Every structure is written in structure tokens, then in C-alpha cells.
Amino acid sequence: MHDLIISGGEVHDGFGSPAVTADVAVTAGRVVAVGAGLGSAARTIDASGLVVAPGFVDPHSHSDWVPFLPEAQPFKLVQGVTTEIVGNCGFSPAPVDPATADLAPISLGGQSFPRFSEYLDAVEAAGTTNHLAAMVGHNTLRVSTAGMDRVATAGAVERMCALAAEAFEAGAVGFSTGLEYVPGAYATQEELAALARVARRFDGTYTTHMRSESEGLEAALDEAIAVARSAGIRLQVSHCKASGPAAHGMAETILGRIAAARRSGLDVRGDLYPYQAFATTMVAMLPTQACEGGVDDMLARLRDPDTRAALLDIALGPDGTGVGLWREVRPEDLQVLTHSDETLVGRRLSEVLDGRTPWDALCDILIADPDSFTVCHTLDEADLLAIMADPLIAIGSDSGMPALPTHPRTFGTFPTFLGEYVRERGVVALPEAIRKVTSATASQFGLSDRGWLGEGAAADIVVFDAATIGHTGDYATPDVSPTGMVHVLLEGEPVIVDGVFTGARRGRMLRRGR
């Protein structure tokens, strides 16, 4: 007798094959059969009229600290996400040196850990609501070994490589960079290649938030490809976009370069979120020179009128790489997401000038709260649709913590994609859409038994209503519950039943090679 049979659903294998009407049998956390006449089971789920698919795999999440929240957090399960890849954009909770952690103008998060294995163990001890697989972040490695220095010595690079190797031995699935952020922006291509060669020893993946996603994106993408090629490792280009008016229309450039690299033998893919705005730290608007030495040095520069003016010249200069994001945004594009002054939250920069220039207003906002976040409305819909439709691009959320205020992608990326863009707008057909949220990501991160539905696969399974799946959350009210997700199983255990979370933390930390 099977533990569970999901009967009569429209079954998708996760590889883009046409759906079949079939039953799915689950025993001991694994799919043991797909077809008809599968025998009896201790429990049956009627999936008639519903889609049965592999659990969704999110390649780009910032849920690193979610397991340490006091309550279980089903905000990804209700979207159908059963596994998240964390440690993105160069930031991971480990390995953190307490002596240097406070130097970074971007917080390394809540809890932090000296060793990567300690972070993985702590997640398992706390219990995670859905599965996580973790990467080690280059920014974290760099802060721990070189602080906020622009130049990392040979010894610091060697120490980074040693710490990265420890992370892979503990179970990391890849390493990530955030090259528009400091101190990652200070790294040379040789430094990144050295880490890539470490990752290659462990069959890891290189994931990158590139140096530029605007005017400098061609050179940035060429660098990412060169780093991956130097070690022969998989490359995942994070949140593919052409940001800012000067870059609009460059979707085909991005896709052409990725396709050419793949034809030449490099295993490269990308991901994107289905929104025309991104969220990031306010400090990312500044040139990297502003942040050398740490937060206190940055604030001193912003308070000095001459230095502030010099930084603006750099931000608006001819070089589109390493100058911060200021040139991508207009005052009406930049919306304050978080700030210690609550009167600023939700307002556009253009609405809070109070007689100041936009640059001076930005600097004053940062002086008041260097940890503030922003939403930037800088993407063009034509680029978004072109990138979304490409077969080499998966869907990723770039989601943050499930706390307000935040971007709606945290609560609705996958239902938005399947509802608005697949059902309503027909950007891709449903089998291809399911591939984009399952196997297209799982294969990139070595999750060989996830992201597909067939005999032997882990029984991470979603059952949803293709006619109603969606999300109505927006930038004002992002935390709206999605519709259409009926059942979700983690390794055969129901965690969403008839649309309701059971309350159980049944996720696991998925370690490389285990």
C-alpha cells in the first residue's frame, strides 16, 4: 500500500513535456509511480481539474534568516515554492568575522556565524518551513578577510578561497557575487576566478548579481561568462534586467550573449522576477568610492559638501560600471521602502525634495538612515517580456524577509508569473512555465532529485488551479495571500491542505552531495 496517491490530475513532469491525466503514488517521501491503476493508499488526494507539478524551486531568495523567526513562515509554500536557494547577491550569514562585520554599509543580516557549517546546523536546529539550499557569499568572504579595503592582498584571497572550500565541504551548493555592492565591487576578475576554481572542485555553481544591469551590462555579462569559463562551472545570471532608460531595449543583447556562451559549451542560464521595479539598499545608489572604509567613512563623505559633489560627478560620469545605480533612476523612479523616518516610507524621491537637488536629498536620506531600502521603478515591459519568454531564463523571486514594507515579489512572484503572464498574457505555455519554475533551476544547483515529477523523485509536489492562481498584491499592499494553490507536499508530507497551511516546519537544509 502506498502512503499517498494524488488522483486524476493534469500531471506535468517539470521538463516541459505535454501534461497527462494520471495518478501519482508516493511512498516514504518519494514518487514511486505515475500512471493509472496504481493500487491502494493510506490517503488519497483528488486532483481532478487541477494541475499536479513538481514543487517550485526559487533560484534567487534572501530567506537566509527566515528559519530563525519565532513562527513558521509559509509565505513561499502558499506560492508553491518547496525549495529556495539562499546566499544570493554575495551575502550569506556565514562565514562572518565579528571583528569586521559592522564595517559593511549593507547589513549582513540578523544572526551570523563564524563557520558555514554552523549556519547550516542552526537552520536544521531551528527548523525551516520549506527546503533551503545555501550558497556562500563573496561579499561575506571579503568582509571577513579584507574588511572594506579596496585591494585584497594575496593572503586575503587565499583565505577567501580556504573559507569557500570549508563552506562547500559543509554543503554549500555554490558561491554568489553582488558586484554592484561593496566590498564585492572592489574585486578583480582574477579574485573571482580564484573562487570559481574552488567551486569547480566541488561541482558548485557561480551565481552573480553583475557589476552593472544598465549601461555597463554588456561588459558585466562578458566578465561573468569569463569567470565561469575560467573554471568550467555552471553560471547563473541573477535577476536579468535592463535597468534605466538608457538600457531599455537591451533584452536581446542579454539573451544573445547568454545563448552564444551556451552554444560555445558553457552551462549558463539566468533568472528574472515578473515585475518592472527592483528593490535594493539605498546605499547602492552611491559610487563604490563612497563606501571605502565602512559606514562611518561613508557618512563623513556624504556630510562634506565638496566630497558629496565629487561623488555626484563620479555617479554621472561616462563609465557605466562601478558608479552606483544613481544614473539608472529618475527622482520619480526611486520610492523609499524602509527608513527610520516613517514619514518618508512609500514616497518617491521627487516628493521629498523640499527645495534640495535630488542628489542632496538622497545623501541626506542616507545620512539619517544608512540602512534604508528603496524600490526603483526602472524596467521596461518589452524587455521584461522578452527575457521572461526565453527558454534559458527561469523564474526567481529575489524575495526578502516576510515583513513589511517589502516588494510584492516576496509574497507573489510565482502566482503572478503563472496567473498574469502565463494564463492571462500567454507569454509561454503552461508546460514550459512549469519547467521554468522547477527543473530549469534544480539542475543548475545540483538538486538532482528535485524539480521533476517521476519515479524516484523527491515527493515535493504542488497541486494548483491554473484557472485561479494569481496574486493581487502591489507595492502599497504586498502581503496579500495568493490564490489557487490547493495542496503542497514536502517529501510526501502535506503542508498546504485545501489552501491552508498545516503549521508544520517540514523543510530541510539540502546540503551539496547529501
Side-chain angles (χ1 to χ4, degrees), residues 109-110 170 183 200 204 249:
R200 178 67 178 84

Side-chain angles (χ1 to χ4, degrees), residues 336 343-344 347-356 361 365:
V336 179
T343 66
L344 296 176
R347 301 174 71 186
R348 306 289 178 119
L349 186 63
S350 58
E351 299 172 332
V352 298
L353 296 179
D354 296 328
R356 298 169 293 183
I365 287 170

